[in-house]
Amino acid sequence: MTDCIFCKIVRKEIPAITVYEDENTLAFIDINPRSKGMCIVIPKKHFVNFDDDMDTASKVFDTALIVAKKIKIALGLEAVFIAMLIGQVPHFNVRVYPVYKDQIPLFENKPIKVNQKELAEIAEKIKKAEVNWKRETKRKEEVIVEKKEEPKQEEKVDKEEEFWIKRSFLIG
Ligand SMILES: [Zn+2]
């Protein structure tokens, strides 16, 4: 979408402090954060609601987890909040909030004052924190959990014997 601010960030028409980027997603620092180092994760493709494109939305969540882990490592925090909210920008996004002990509960509707230089330093730390995780690709048929009946003990033995007979045949 031409007028969407987040799409402009993806196209690098608006500057943003990026902390993570891959083929489908982008994570950047919120310059009006609710907590220091708060990140916004977006899909590069424009859509509004998570259920407009569940596949891409799940990739955004994968990135949100990576960013959450990066925040934990970089800032030495115990907790990170992740939220999917409807915000002012109509482009799907997931927010990742570092949770500092003195900031619990964390108020989403209350932006905090933050020094931009300090924010840039935090961003650099988050960006540098290494997280080597990648989702294993799941085949569609693995998603369906089937309840198979266990074969009776005798049948099991037979099948095993059959296997070894076949196997020795193949080897022999
Ligand atoms: Zn957009």
Side-chain angles (χ1 to χ4, degrees), residues 20-112:
Y20 179 89
E21 183 172 3
D22 63 22
E23 205 188 330
N24 303 294
T25 66
L26 184 71
F28 55 92
I29 291 279
D30 191 330
I31 50 165
N32 289 307
R34 271 55 169 176
S35 82
K36 263 187 246 173
M38 174 191 165
C39 294
I40 297 177
V41 187
I42 58 168
K44 288 187 172 176
K45 176 185 167 189
H46 182 93
F47 59 95
V48 182
N49 302 301
F50 74 94
D51 50 357
D52 294 338
D53 184 343
M54 298 277 275
D55 285 334
T56 310
S58 81
K59 286 175 183 150
V60 174
F61 271 100
D62 281 359
T63 299
L65 288 179
I66 291 169
V67 171
K69 181 74 179 161
K70 281 161 85 64
I71 287 172
K72 269 187 87 173
I73 297 168
L75 309 178
L77 297 171
E78 287 299 317
V80 180
F81 288 170
I82 293 182
M84 182 173 73
L85 303 161
I86 293 172
Q88 290 166 336
V89 183
H91 182 127
F92 177 68
N93 65 87
V94 171
R95 301 171 196 198
V96 187
Y97 310 81
V99 182
Y100 302 88
K101 270 191 186 138
D102 58 351
Q103 228 196 332
I104 298 172
L106 191 146
F107 297 104
E108 162 54 33
N109 58 357
K110 215 170 131 194
I112 54 154

Side-chain angles (χ1 to χ4, degrees), residues 55-172:
D55 285 334
T56 310
S58 81
K59 286 175 183 150
V60 174
F61 271 100
D62 281 359
T63 299
L65 288 179
I66 291 169
V67 171
K69 181 74 179 161
K70 281 161 85 64
I71 287 172
K72 269 187 87 173
I73 297 168
L75 309 178
L77 297 171
E78 287 299 317
V80 180
F81 288 170
I82 293 182
M84 182 173 73
L85 303 161
I86 293 172
Q88 290 166 336
V89 183
H91 182 127
F92 177 68
N93 65 87
V94 171
R95 301 171 196 198
V96 187
Y97 310 81
V99 182
Y100 302 88
K101 270 191 186 138
D102 58 351
Q103 228 196 332
I104 298 172
L106 191 146
F107 297 104
E108 162 54 33
N109 58 357
K110 215 170 131 194
I112 54 154
K113 280 197 178 138
V114 65
N115 174 323
Q116 293 302 316
K117 190 177 166 263
E118 192 190 356
L119 205 55
E121 283 167 10
I122 291 174
E124 199 52 35
K125 277 192 206 164
I126 297 172
K127 197 175 181 170
K128 276 187 188 156
E130 259 186 70
V131 177
N132 296 314
W133 175 79
K134 205 173 186 284
R135 178 177 295 282
E136 282 181 40
T137 23
K138 252 188 199 169
R139 284 183 302 148
K140 280 245 159 79
E141 57 264 37
E142 282 175 346
V143 178
I144 304 157
V145 181
E146 267 181 41
K147 232 185 170 182
K148 277 184 191 159
E149 262 182 60
E150 271 289 302
K152 281 176 197 162
Q153 202 54 36
E154 280 174 29
E155 284 175 49
K156 225 176 181 174
V157 172
D158 283 351
K159 276 201 176 138
E160 257 174 36
E161 267 174 12
E162 212 179 280
F163 170 75
W164 286 110
I165 292 162
K166 266 191 198 162
R167 195 181 154 87
S168 62
F169 174 73
L170 286 171
I171 294 167

